[in-house]
């Protein structure tokens, strides 16, 4: 696997996801009081358990949860990678 990077920059995260046709999403039934629950980036085909949300809501929950975005730009063989996960900022 090639190197990974961690960021909290909203523009960088959105750019990374959109370059891979990713959309912000939340896991159904994890929402609370009208707020997004567990965050995901959905690359399709659309999963029944995921509900698409807008980027504003995604980043509101991302910041409230004190998350950072760990991601890989390219695979070892140079292809665009979709590898990512959300980690606590204190662990980043």
């Amino acid at each position: 696997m090639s190197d990974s990077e961690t960021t909290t920059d909203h523009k960088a995260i959105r750019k990374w996801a959109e370059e891979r046709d990713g959309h912000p999403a939340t896991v159904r039934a994890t929402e609370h009081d009208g707020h997004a629950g567990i965050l995901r980036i959905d690359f399709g085909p659309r999963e029944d358990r995921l509900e698409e949300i807008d980027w504003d809501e995604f980043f509101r929950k991302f910041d409230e949860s004190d998350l950072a975005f760990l991601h890989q730009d390219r695979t070892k063989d140079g292809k665009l990678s979709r590898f990512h996960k959300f980690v606590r900022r204190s662990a980043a």
Side-chain angles (χ1 to χ4, degrees), residues 11-24:
K11 288 180 184 176
I13 296 166
R14 183 173 180 168
K15 181 178 186 282
W16 183 93
E18 289 178 345
E19 285 175 347
R20 292 154 178 82
D21 295 322
H23 306 279

Side-chain angles (χ1 to χ4, degrees), residues 21-72:
D21 295 322
H23 306 279
T26 187
V27 178
R28 289 188 197 280
T30 64
E31 307 94 349
H32 184 66
D33 291 333
H35 297 285
I38 297 171
L39 296 177
R40 295 286 184 264
I41 295 180
D42 186 11
F43 297 102
R46 185 154 326 275
E47 294 182 41
D48 289 339
R49 66 186 186 99
L50 296 183
E51 180 177 336
E52 190 168 335
I53 58 177
D54 65 35
W55 282 110
D56 288 338
E57 184 176 357
F58 178 90
F59 286 121
R60 193 169 25 259
K61 176 66 176 187
F62 179 82
D63 290 335
E64 285 173 4
S65 300
D66 202 32
L67 297 175
F69 185 70
L70 174 72
H71 63 286
Q72 180 185 46

